[in-house]
């Protein structure tokens, strides 16, 4: 049987173990084929090959419900459910996304599950509905690659353990999250692996689950035996499988963190096809923390399993030593640890990915903002150009953070301003400061960058003009400048403003604009509803000024082309300029 | 020693066990004295008396750091740290709040911790900073009353277990959350209690903690011995204490759920001083779910440990039977279970408190909104008049929910509209609908209430006037009406609009207002920034209409008088009318 001929899970039901092993080998080549050309999650999928083949061999999807958590490890599932072309043929790559996707395949992909950890809770819902509907089938959560450290996963273990019914959890223990795993339970898992699953104080049993251990989680025969034992169980059961992240591809086995997600690379060596060069925002951040710990010996640098997104590689973390804490995939805890260490007077910097910070909304509100806990929250992967999967969009952070009181949210427009804001935020000891790491184009300041931002919500006028005022936020300040240049060609000398703060407005400046302006345009690389521009519109609601808000729509967009979306939203410089000219003409 | 004479924890350091017991008895009277007169958390504090006296006897606050989670069980702590008058003397009650409060007592109250579950993570931060500062003292988290089921608590156990340093967790196991405890781990805790802490598969040990069990968690001698053993430990240790919720007061021991939080009551009988009567929004919801399960046998009703807030008492839950699921204090899981059951075709209703829903922001976005999961999310305790502790404010939900795509957020203005919206939301099978349970005054509709809300973002004009249009949201629709009446006295026949939807605007209607209006005023019982009114201001930014947004400020306010805040914010009907008249006069 050739991998390319598999159309549905039925096609593997009658294969022998050697034939299945042959499919597994072909799958590994397919994973390398795709990821080496367009990038993607390499190690997680190489590690999950056998355990997912066995899943479809033993269970009968779609009647049995399979839910992946986190779904970036589900490539083998996609290959078995009619989407193998997306891994074999370059022209079909774009048809298949990185995560499970009910739109892509409603029959076999139940949820998006792009963020880690909710699969067990989703499965409790599926199982509960099944029982109320008096149906019989298996509900299976495939959990792993670090997903178990997220709070909701434990909640799901707790809720699942109380379910007196069928519920199966495959715990894919590859000993890694994105970087190494952190936390007390990982010692416990190591101990379970060392004792072939017999160690006492079993976490899963404590939550009320039955427990099966499979030491060789890349062995099809053993996996099939274990799954078959659990199938149709009338009680929640965990199957803990010990797998190898990157299995079968030496560079990925050796450099497990670098091959978690990899940009396009050369298969023979594992080397990246293109190396970044020149100054970067990540480089500014890295320098900032490495110098920060020298200045403040008790400074704590926190990551929640994404040090790479911060630009901190293994060597940097080694340098940081005890000053660095990875709390695992656990953003709620990231924020609470930040608040706790700040309360004790340490300087604290927590670097977090925009989309993942969503998990800590309550802690931002209750543990950080409400308290006197000066700290620096660096938010990366922001805006339209960061991550283009709908599950990982980076443009909800302005509405999310700016609806919370007492967090100063700064949006630097270029390298110099970013560095200045980081340094100011760290040195001051009163305010809770979040900084939106730019993520569009690498820019240098062409206006005087200040070192002190304690005059809150003070916008900076970088060019004084008349008739039109453009307030352009953060990494789209440069777009405001482009628009101003286009307007100049049409005879309008627009005022250009870098607001710097997105968590509040400069009421005095806004009011003063009435004197010699007709139109105020806001431009932000973020969702409009609840965002910065609407604050400006509200502040100017009773004035004679016309206000136009340019930004992203409140909608989920998936695997998109950045420029196409900008065009569809009317956000290209010439489109914005045209809209402004129209407003001026009717004002 | 008299309780009233205790000024600081030092005052109990030299007392004998009988003397401490005497203090405990006086504390119980003080708890009853306060809560019977002004309401409050009764059972949690009666249960924690001895374990908190022992805490201050053994540990040396403020040098040793004590963090309470959830802090509604910390009355005994407050009595030992200079605030006993707030429990003894009616005139001093208002000086002391329900939760720990760094503003009230910066020396002994480290965090607000009004929401459950983050204490362990906060303590990891405290401990980490202590170690970086090369200090020596104990960091103690006092966790319990159901707080352990919240995801961040497990994350904290995980992060704490990896900390090779001093960290102590008192796990106050009173076998209850607000209602009974739910989840697989609670069977485990029961088993630990039955075996005097010797049962295998110890959850805490699995996370890497040492473990000490105290069977009689209301026995001072045993508590002191256990705490002394853990003090100065160089490794994380959990002390699991078995306490009795409501200890020492028969009605609270017997009716543990009703005495979790109790409105003012008569001490001798435990009966409430005032009984609610007449129609209520809670009554509408209760009728809705009890009838719903008859119509839809596979309907799932979810609560996250707050059935009482839904108006569902023990008997109602018994009636609901398998159709009711309490996921424990675990809102992330509440939302994910809702999404999972909806995916399987069940009708689902999840009732949740506004302030606690904050914990599920990410699940709302990633698991519910993004997917095709029609369900009904009922949000209670909303707006300025719901809960007046800053940790439990009910006015962030409009910005939070309306910044997420694809959730229809409805704000009913009265009993009839609330009922109609609930029924429509349940019967339809396409949309994800959140409904903001009114929480201001009980109102009846004086306009025709429709039964179909599928024409999204369609505002309802309840009175057509001219010059001024008032768009008044949800339970403040009635305020809009009052303002309109005041304007009428000044000769303005204002248009009155009930938007019904807060997650979007009726662009066509708004545009049409330009024809014969000058001023549009929005009025909402929620935070302005990122809220509904700012969407209207943005939509009308390029029009000639003046827009005034009335609503709550983005700031933390604590233990406030509702009318005073409304006045300070200029939200009383006459203040709003005056602001509108001014805008009309200059327009």
């Amino acid at each position: 049987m050739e991998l390319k001929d598999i159309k549905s899970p039925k096609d593997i039901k009658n294969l022998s173990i050697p034939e299945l092993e042959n499919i597994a080998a072909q799958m590994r080549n397919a994973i390398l084929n795709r990821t080496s050309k367009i990038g993607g999650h390499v190690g997680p999928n190489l590690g999950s090959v056998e355990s997912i083949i066995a899943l479809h061999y033993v269970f009968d999807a779609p009647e049995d419900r399979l839910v992946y958590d986190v779904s970036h490890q589900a490539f083998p599932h996609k290959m078995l459910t009619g989407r193998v072309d997306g891994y074999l043929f370059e022209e079909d790559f774009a048809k298949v996304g990185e995560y499970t996707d009910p739109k892509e395949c409603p029959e076999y992909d139940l949820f998006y599950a792009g963020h880690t950890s909710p699969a067990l809770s989703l499965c409790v819902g599926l199982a509960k509905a099944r029982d109320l509907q008096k149906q019989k089938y298996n509900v299976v959560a495939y959990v792993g690659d670090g997903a178990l450290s997220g709070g909701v996963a434990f909640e799901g273990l707790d809720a699942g353990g109380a379910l007196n019914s069928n519920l199966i959890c495959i715990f894919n223990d590859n000993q890694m999250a994105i970087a190494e795993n952190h936390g007390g339970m990982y010692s416990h898992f190591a101990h379970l692996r060392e004792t072939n699953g017999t160690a006492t104080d079993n976490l899963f049993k404590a939550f009320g689950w039955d427990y099966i251990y499979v030491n060789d989680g890349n062995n099809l025969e053993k996996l099939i035996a274990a799954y078959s034992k659990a199938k149709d169980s009338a009680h929640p059961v965990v199957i803990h499988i010990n797998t190898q992240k990157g299995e079968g591809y030496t560079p990925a086995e050796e450099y497990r963190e670098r091959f978690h997600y990899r940009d396009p690379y050369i298969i023979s060596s594992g080397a990246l096809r293109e190396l970044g060069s020149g100054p970067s925002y990540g480089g500014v951040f890295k320098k900032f923390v490495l110098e920060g710990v020298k200045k403040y010996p008790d400074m704590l640098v926190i990551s929640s399993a994404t040090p790479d997104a911060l630009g901190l590689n293994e060597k940097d973390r080694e340098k940081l030593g005890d000053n660095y804490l990875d709390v695992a995939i656990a953003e709620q805890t990231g924020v609470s640890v930040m608040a706790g260490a700040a309360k004790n007077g340490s300087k604290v910097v927590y670097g977090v990915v925009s989309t993942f910070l969503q998990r800590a909304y309550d802690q931002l509100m209750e543990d950080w903002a409400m308290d006197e806990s000066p700290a620096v929250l660096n938010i990366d992967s922001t805006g339209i150009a960061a991550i283009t999967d709908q599950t990982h969009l980076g443009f909800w952070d302005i509405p999310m953070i700016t609806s919370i009181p007492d967090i100063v949210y700064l949006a630097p427009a270029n390298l110099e301003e970013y560095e200045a804001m980081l340094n100011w935020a760290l040195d001051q000891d009163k305010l809770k400061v979040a900084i939106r790491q730019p993520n569009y184009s690498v820019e240098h300041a062409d206006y005087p960058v200040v070192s002190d931002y304690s005059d809150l919500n003070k916008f900076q006028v970088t060019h004084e003009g008349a008739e039109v005022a453009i307030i352009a936020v953060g990494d789209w300040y440069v777009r405001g400048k482009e628009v101003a240049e286009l307007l100049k060609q049409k005879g309008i000398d627009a005022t250009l403003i870098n607001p710097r703060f997105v968590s509040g407005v400069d009421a005095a400046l806004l009011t003063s604009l009435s004197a010699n302006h007709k139109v105020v345009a806001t431009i932000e690389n973020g969702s409009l509803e609840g965002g910065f521009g609407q604050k400006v519109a509200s502040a100017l609601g009773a004035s004679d000024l016309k206000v136009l808000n340019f930004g992203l729509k409140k909608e989920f967009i998936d695997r998109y082309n950045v420029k196409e979306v900008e065009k569809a939203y009317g956000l290209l410089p010439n489109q914005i300029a045209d809209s402004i000219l129209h407003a001026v003409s009717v004002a």
Side-chain angles (χ1 to χ4, degrees), chain A:
Chain A
M1 183 101 205
E2 295 299 307
L3 178 63
K4 69 178 172 48
D5 299 324
I6 292 177
K7 301 293 171 219
S8 95
K10 288 196 184 68
D11 296 333
I12 65 161
K13 292 278 177 190
N14 297 316
L15 299 187
S16 66
I17 296 289
E19 285 169 325
L20 291 173
E21 282 168 352
N22 178 264
I23 295 293
Q26 293 181 60
M27 273 188 179
R28 289 212 158 79
N29 287 335
I31 291 165
L32 296 181
N33 178 51
R34 175 186 164 108
T35 58
S36 66
K37 293 192 177 93
I38 60 167
H41 290 88
V42 186
N45 287 294
L46 290 173
S48 67
V49 164
E50 287 82 8
S51 53
I52 290 180
I53 292 177
L55 206 58
H56 279 290
Y57 183 86
V58 173
F59 295 97
D60 302 305
E63 176 67 6
D64 288 330
R65 279 18 174 207
L66 310 181
V67 180
Y68 294 88
D69 181 355
V70 49
S71 71
H72 67 225
Q73 54 182 337
F75 291 5
H77 163 83
K78 294 196 172 197
M79 292 190 223
L80 295 176
T81 52
R83 288 168 282 176
V84 71
D85 289 358
Y87 300 85
L88 295 175
F89 309 117
E90 205 158 345
E91 62 271 28
D92 295 321
F93 285 175
K95 292 179 190 158
V96 176
E98 198 73 8
Y99 305 92
T100 55
D101 183 342
K103 282 202 191 75
E104 187 181 292
C105 184
E107 196 176 5
Y108 291 103
D109 288 8
L110 290 176
F111 302 101
Y112 294 98
H115 285 194
T116 65
S117 313
L120 285 161
S121 299
L122 291 167
C123 283
V124 169
L126 289 172
K128 191 73 196 160
R130 173 201 61 198
D131 296 345
L132 288 170
Q133 293 160 4
K134 314 215 178 296
Q135 304 272 315
K136 293 268 174 213
Y137 50 78
N138 292 277
V139 173
V140 185
Y142 184 97
V143 178
D145 205 34
L148 209 58
S149 60
V152 66
F154 297 111
E155 293 181 2
L157 275 178
D158 188 36
L163 196 77
N164 201 15
S165 179
N166 173 279
L167 182 61
I168 295 166
C169 168
I170 316 287
F171 169 43
N172 173 18
D173 178 6
N174 63 13
Q175 305 131 59
M176 292 280 286
I178 296 171
E180 60 274 28
N181 268 321
H182 291 272
M185 69 176 175
Y186 289 103
S187 307
H188 173 56
F189 296 147
H191 195 43
L192 281 169
R193 292 192 301 269
E194 287 155 12
T195 60
N196 202 28
T198 63
T200 52
D201 299 321
N202 185 302
L203 179 75
F204 304 104
K205 290 186 187 174
F207 278 109
W209 294 63
D210 295 335
Y211 176 79
I212 296 170
Y213 179 73
V214 180
N215 191 46
D216 188 350
N218 294 101
N219 179 305
L220 278 160
E221 207 164 351
K222 290 184 180 160
L223 288 164
I224 289 170
Y227 291 1
S228 301
K229 204 169 147 190
K231 193 179 178 184
D232 302 327
S233 166
H235 187 260
V237 55
V238 166
I239 308 174
H240 176 182
I241 64 176
N242 178 19
T243 65
Q244 160 82 355
K245 194 161 179 166
E247 169 93 9
Y249 177 56
T250 309
E253 289 178 8
E254 202 156 334
Y255 302 103
R256 298 195 293 174
E257 179 175 336
R258 285 181 221 168
F259 279 86
H260 170 77
Y261 182 98
R262 188 94 173 146
D263 285 332
Y265 58 94
I266 298 155
I267 295 183
S268 59
S269 64
L272 288 176
R273 288 175 193 268
E274 281 177 47
L275 286 175
S277 65
S280 70
Y281 295 106
V284 169
F285 183 79
K286 175 181 176 152
K287 175 168 165 258
F288 161 71
V289 295
L290 292 176
E291 286 180 357
V293 295
K294 284 183 203 155
K295 191 168 170 190
Y296 301 107
D298 69 342
M299 172 168 148
L300 181 63
V301 181
I302 303 170
S303 170
S304 38
T306 58
D308 204 46
L310 300 179
L312 298 176
N313 61 30
E314 294 95 326
K315 275 188 193 157
D316 301 325
R317 275 130 58 192
E318 213 167 280
K319 260 187 228 162
L320 289 170
D322 281 343
N323 297 92
Y324 175 75
L325 178 67
D326 187 332
V327 296
I329 300 179
E331 293 77 11
Q332 296 180 282
T333 286
V335 171
S336 296
V337 168
M338 170 173 74
K343 170 71 72 171
N344 245 353
S346 274
K347 293 286 181 186
V348 192
V349 178
Y350 175 27
V352 65
V353 177
S354 169
T355 185
F356 299 145
L357 183 60
Q358 292 169 195
R359 284 191 279 227
Y361 180 89
D362 190 57
Q363 281 70 34
L364 287 173
M365 176 83 81
E366 302 280 326
D367 291 345
W368 195 41
M370 206 173 285
D371 214 332
E372 305 299 318
S373 308
V376 186
L377 181 67
N378 184 76
I379 301 168
D380 72 70
S381 306
T382 58
I384 191 171
I387 314 180
T388 57
D389 295 282
Q390 67 173 1
T391 51
H392 287 70
L393 300 174
F395 45 79
W396 311 118
D397 53 281
I398 297 180
M400 178 174 71
I401 293 171
T402 65
S403 67
I404 299 175
D406 292 345
I407 296 176
V408 177
Y409 198 15
L410 293 169
N414 48 60
L415 292 164
E416 293 76 15
E417 196 165 63
Y418 179 46
E419 188 171 9
M421 286 175 172
L422 283 169
N423 285 321
W424 168 77
L426 186 67
D427 290 340
Q428 63 83 37
D429 58 2
K430 283 192 179 58
L431 300 163
K432 291 141 274 187
V433 182
I435 299 179
R436 193 174 206 236
Q437 190 182 84
N439 197 87
Y440 200 79
S441 50
V442 175
E443 302 290 335
H444 288 280
D446 59 358
Y447 54 84
V449 164
V450 305
S451 58
D452 184 350
Y453 298 86
S454 54
D455 191 359
L456 296 184
N457 302 327
K458 178 84 179 162
F459 294 178
Q460 183 169 13
V461 179
T462 57
H463 174 75
E464 271 195 62
E467 203 161 7
V468 171
I470 299 169
I471 308 176
V473 174
D475 56 14
W476 274 11
Y477 170 77
V478 64
R479 178 143 309 179
K481 206 175 133 190
E482 286 164 351
V483 171
E485 280 156 13
L486 291 170
L487 291 177
K488 194 148 209 177
Q489 293 167 19
K490 303 284 180 178
I492 292 177
D493 178 29
T495 294
L496 184 58
I497 298 168
N498 172 9
R500 307 183 301 185
F501 298 84
V502 285
S503 43
V505 297
D506 187 337
L509 175 70
L510 290 179
T511 305
S512 75
L513 292 175
S514 289
N516 57 342
H517 295 79
K518 286 184 192 166
V519 173
V520 173
T522 66
I523 305 177
E524 64 196 298
N525 185 5
S527 180
L528 274 179
E529 290 205 25
F532 171 77
Q534 294 198 336
K535 294 186 211 306
V536 173
S538 177
L540 291 174
S543 80
D544 287 325
L545 289 161
K546 309 285 180 201
V547 180
L548 302 178
N549 297 140
F550 297 94
L552 308 179
K553 278 194 193 170
K554 186 176 87 170
E555 66 179 5
F556 294 116
I557 49 176
D558 195 24
R559 290 183 264 156
Y560 55 84
N561 175 287
V562 172
K563 281 290 158 212
E564 280 171 17
V565 172
E566 290 180 9
K567 193 177 171 191
Y569 289 177
L571 298 176
L572 298 178
N574 64 311
Q575 293 175 304
I576 295 175
D578 287 349
S579 298
I580 292 172
L581 287 168
H582 175 74
V584 170
S585 71
V586 300

